[in-house]
Amino acid sequence: YLGNIMFILLVRHAQPFWREEAKDPNNPELTELGIEQGKITGNYINLLKSMDITFDTIWHSELTRSRQTAELISKELDNNIKMSEHSWLNEVKLLDFKGMKEYAERSEKSDFNAVELDKWYEGFESMENFVDHANNLTPHFYQSLEDFGIKKSYQQTRNGDEKVWEITTDKNLLIVGHGGTNSVLLSELLSFDFKPWNVVRLGIDHASIAMLVGVSVGKEHIFRLQKLNDTHLLSPEKITR
């Protein structure tokens, strides 16, 4: 990893327990398997210190499944890590228990893959629109990155202005988000066009890791995708989506 500037790890929360008797359809806690997934992922992240990749900051959403996963990871790390809660990291909102049931059933059956692309723009019944969700979180993400020492910039090329990053921090960043939010963050960091079906395109499993590396391009930086949907420490029967 010689010459790399910094690392960002995007972790999806571990498996949540969707149930109709919950008080809030948007805020399930982790299952027993989810707790195990979180511990295993934390152990893997801790092993990265052997390559001098360490973290002292975790961003997580307000939602229980993200916070619980972040806490499980932090307990596996040797250092005193700072936990930072961000409401803009919250997942696409389920508007009622009907939305929760539909989301849970579609996720369990991988049924989102059967949906026509245009439907993703329209959105699903009883769920927040994916495009609105992305548009709402993106400016807050950019501001939080800038506060951390990662500022969006542009470099002029023969094909027009290309997004690059001014990186002024030597700290690495660990983000525990959600399938929908992490797909938006990956799109922004890697300069992919946002599509509401990116969550299916990227295929982000519970407790999986995406690793991005900041590398120099001239005077600025871009992010290179080093790993995507990394669950290699989870045995096959413990991998869920």
Side-chain angles (χ1 to χ4, degrees), residues 62-80:
E62 292 179 318
L63 301 178
T64 300
R65 58 194 186 276
S66 170
R67 177 181 50 76
Q68 275 187 294
T69 305
E71 290 171 347
L72 289 166
I73 291 171
S74 70
K75 290 176 182 177
E76 298 297 320
L77 304 183
D78 290 342
N79 55 320
N80 294 319

Side-chain angles (χ1 to χ4, degrees), residues 11-218:
V11 180
R12 186 186 180 192
H13 63 80
Q15 185 190 54
F17 181 28
W18 298 105
R19 64 188 198 279
E20 292 188 54
E21 65 269 23
K23 294 180 181 179
D24 183 351
N26 288 285
N27 209 15
E29 68 277 10
L30 298 184
T31 63
E32 290 186 13
L33 174 58
I35 292 171
E36 187 176 359
Q37 290 171 337
K39 291 178 180 178
I40 292 171
T41 298
N43 180 56
Y44 170 65
I45 294 171
N46 190 48
L47 293 175
L48 294 175
K49 67 186 178 185
S50 65
M51 296 182 289
D52 293 324
I53 303 174
T54 60
F55 300 87
D56 56 17
T57 301
I58 300 181
W59 292 357
H60 61 87
S61 79
E62 292 179 318
L63 301 178
T64 300
R65 58 194 186 276
S66 170
R67 177 181 50 76
Q68 275 187 294
T69 305
E71 290 171 347
L72 289 166
I73 291 171
S74 70
K75 290 176 182 177
E76 298 297 320
L77 304 183
D78 290 342
N79 55 320
N80 294 319
I81 199 160
K82 177 185 176 184
M83 307 280 286
S84 180
E85 184 174 280
H86 297 269
S87 60
W88 54 263
L89 264 174
N90 289 356
E91 181 60 298
V92 173
K93 187 178 295 184
L94 306 175
L95 303 183
D96 53 32
F97 285 93
K98 181 180 178 182
M100 183 197 73
K101 186 175 182 181
E102 178 186 7
Y103 178 83
E105 289 177 351
R106 283 185 180 275
S107 297
E108 184 177 351
K109 299 176 183 177
S110 296
D111 196 33
F112 284 111
N113 300 50
V115 177
E116 297 292 337
L117 296 185
D118 196 54
K119 177 67 176 176
W120 288 88
Y121 285 108
E122 177 185 333
F124 298 97
E125 186 180 357
S126 303
M127 293 174 64
E128 180 184 6
N129 183 278
F130 290 97
V131 177
D132 291 342
H133 174 256
N135 289 339
N136 288 333
L137 79 84
T138 300
H140 298 288
F141 177 50
Y142 282 143
Q143 184 59 59
S144 295
L145 283 180
E146 187 171 339
D147 294 342
F148 190 79
I150 306 169
K151 184 178 180 181
K152 180 179 70 170
S153 184
Y154 290 93
Q155 192 173 103
Q156 190 173 20
T157 74
R158 67 187 66 191
N159 291 320
D161 289 342
E162 299 286 352
K163 185 164 63 179
V164 292
W165 303 90
E166 297 176 13
I167 300 178
T168 57
T169 180
D170 60 356
K171 302 290 187 181
N172 300 316
L173 178 59
L174 176 54
I175 303 174
V176 180
H178 303 259
T181 55
N182 284 6
S183 67
V184 176
L185 305 190
L186 282 166
S187 301
E188 295 300 324
L189 290 167
L190 296 171
S191 299
F192 294 162
D193 289 339
F194 169 76
K195 302 292 183 182
W197 58 84
N198 277 358
V199 64
V200 173
R201 173 187 284 169
L202 295 169
I204 304 172
D205 293 329
H206 291 134
S208 65
I209 295 172
M211 176 185 282
L212 295 95
V213 187
V215 295
S216 299
V217 284

